[in-house]
Each structure stands twice: as C-alpha cells, then as structure tokens.
Amino acid sequence: MILVAKPDAPARLAEFAGLTSGHCAAHDADRARYDQGDVTFDILSANYGHADVKDVLRDAQHSKCCFCEGMFEANAAADVEHYRPKKYSQQGRKKPKVYPGYYWRGYAWDNLFYCCQVCNRSHKKNFFPLRNPITRVRHHSGDLTGEAPLILNPAGPADPRDHIFFNNEIAVGDTDEGVATVDFCGLNRLPLIEARLEHFKRLETLRHVAALQATSPDVEAVILEAQTYLAAAVLPTAKFSAMAQDALAA
C-alpha cells in the first residue's frame, strides 16, 4: 500500500450534490429510523462509480488497487470503494452494524478510491474500526476530525509506508493502524501472497543479475536491462511497489 495522490474532483461528482443534500434533509426529518437502520439511503453506484469518476481514480492510482497494489489487468474487476462506508459501519468482525453509515460522504471525492473487488467486497466490506468507537460520527453535522480511524486512508495524511512494511512477500503492520489495515483489507490473503512471492522471486533474480560484473558487451546489456527493470519496480506506477521498495532497500 502506498500513498495515493488524488487530482481535483471530476466535474461529474458535482451533479450529485443535490442528492447528498436530500439525504441530509431526510435524516434530519426522521433521524431515529435512520439511526436504527429501519430505512437506509440509496446511494447509487451508477453515480459514484460513473466512468468519468472511475477513470480519474484509475489514472491517479496507476491502474492499481488502493489497498493491495494489485495491477488491474484484463481479468481483474474493480469497484469504486468508499473509505468511510456509506450504508453502515462495523467496528470489527462479529461487532454490531452501526447505522447510518457515512451517507453524506457517498459522493465525496475524498472518500472514493479505485479498489479491487476482493479487497472491497471480501475483506474491507463495511468495516471501519476507530481507535475509540465512541467518537464515531453518525450525522452530517458531526466533526470527522474527532475520529481516529484504524484503517489507513490511501490518500493520507498518514503515509502507509510509515505503518506497513514487507518481510519478503509478507505484509507486516508496524503500528495499530498498519495491523488493522493488513487485517481488514486482507493484505496477506493466500492468492495475494502467492502473487507477491512470484514477483519477489523475479526481483531477487534480477538483483543478482544486476550485481554481476560486465565481462562482455552482451553481459553488460543484460545487466543494464536488469537494472532498468529494478529501477522501475520501486516507482508508484509499478505493481506491489511497496514490497519492491523493501525488497531492494539493501
């Protein structure tokens, strides 16, 4: 996981400001029913997941999942993910659902990210643990700065690299936030570990090649190619770049 630099919000999102205002007015008018989960808000995926929004997120994230850094290829499906869940939230597994969710952030640019469906639907889901769950904001007039989320926000302000490091192909949380993010986003799920391990082995092989002595022009060309690949592997545009940075730090 690396820090995502988000550009300005796509103009399309401004079209949904009226929907958000309507949700806020509805909650004001019947707060008890929304807070009990008897009724929920219809926040439309066709809106927040519109191609105009998704394309900007994809470009900003270099076609990678905001959590696992998996590269979206022809066979990888992706969602527009809400960092703060829109329908309801949960402090943890087997913890009660807390209604309503962050309905007023349903179309908020700073709450939207490009995310693989496995991270989004199978792992993070509606989990949003806070350091102190009493501070959870449940109304649009609340102050979100009073919350201390344990799942790292891909856009900061905290840099995920300060909270999660890699021991070869294994993601390791180095803080409470790092541990929670690895856990709730499934960053050590088996298929992901296997994909990172394959990439790690390739990097290790190329690292040894890059350290060879150039005994001929042909060998020198191979060494240069390995060095070029390794230099690109640590850039934000590369898949699993955080793991590559730690693997090649020496």
Side-chain angles (χ1 to χ4, degrees):
M1 184 176 179
I2 61 171
L3 194 63
V4 172
K6 298 184 76 170
D8 293 338
R12 176 72 62 176
L13 284 177
E15 299 178 11
F16 313 129
L19 296 177
T20 298
S21 297
H23 294 153
C24 294
H27 189 262
D28 285 339
D30 198 358
R31 183 166 181 169
R33 293 186 68 203
Y34 284 104
D35 288 0
Q36 293 166 6
D38 294 336
V39 289
T40 58
F41 296 99
D42 191 13
I43 299 172
L44 303 175
S45 61
N47 293 343
Y48 65 78
H50 191 280
D52 290 352
V53 178
K54 184 178 283 190
D55 289 349
V56 175
L57 288 172
R58 182 192 294 113
D59 290 345
Q61 295 175 207
H62 312 294
S63 296
K64 297 192 298 182
C65 174
C66 64
F67 293 117
C68 74
E69 275 201 278
M71 188 73 73
F72 294 114
E73 298 171 351
N75 61 343
D79 293 328
V80 173
E81 136 82 1
H82 290 81
Y83 172 64
R84 281 181 164 87
K86 62 187 183 298
K87 186 174 183 180
Y88 64 84
S89 60
Q90 286 181 277
Q91 180 69 15
R93 298 176 182 86
K94 299 184 180 179
K95 296 294 184 180
K97 298 176 180 178
V98 179
Y99 288 95
Y102 298 85
Y103 58 90
W104 65 101
R105 310 304 294 164
Y107 302 117
W109 177 236
D110 62 358
N111 198 42
L112 302 177
F113 293 92
Y114 202 48
C115 183
C116 74
Q117 289 186 353
V118 180
C119 281
N120 184 27
R121 302 186 187 188
S122 300
H123 294 279
K124 183 176 180 290
K125 302 179 186 178
N126 290 295
F127 294 123
F128 195 68
L130 303 178
R131 187 171 294 278
N132 181 359
I134 294 176
T135 64
R136 189 178 303 280
V137 177
R138 300 174 64 191
H139 188 269
H140 54 271
S141 64
D143 183 8
L144 293 175
T145 63
E147 295 185 336
L150 289 174
I151 294 178
L152 292 163
N153 187 325
D159 188 337
R161 297 292 291 128
D162 294 332
H163 297 267
I164 299 171
F165 70 92
F166 284 85
N167 182 4
N168 298 342
E169 74 276 14
I170 304 299
V172 181
D174 204 28
T175 63
D176 292 342
E177 291 82 358
V179 169
T181 303
V182 170
D183 180 19
F184 285 104
C185 297
L187 298 188
N188 281 328
R189 56 186 183 265
L190 184 57
L192 187 54
I193 287 177
E194 290 174 341
R196 286 199 301 253
L197 177 59
E198 180 180 1
H199 190 52
F200 176 80
K201 289 179 177 178
R202 182 180 299 111
L203 294 177
E204 280 290 281
T205 299
L206 291 174
R207 186 173 64 84
H208 290 301
V209 172
L212 294 173
Q213 294 296 319
T215 57
S216 70
D218 289 342
V219 174
E220 184 176 4
V222 171
I223 293 172
L224 180 59
E225 185 176 355
Q227 291 172 340
T228 302
Y229 185 98
L230 293 174
V234 301
L235 298 178
T237 52
K239 68 178 180 181
F240 306 142
S241 66
M243 183 200 72
Q245 290 168 18
D246 288 345
L248 301 174

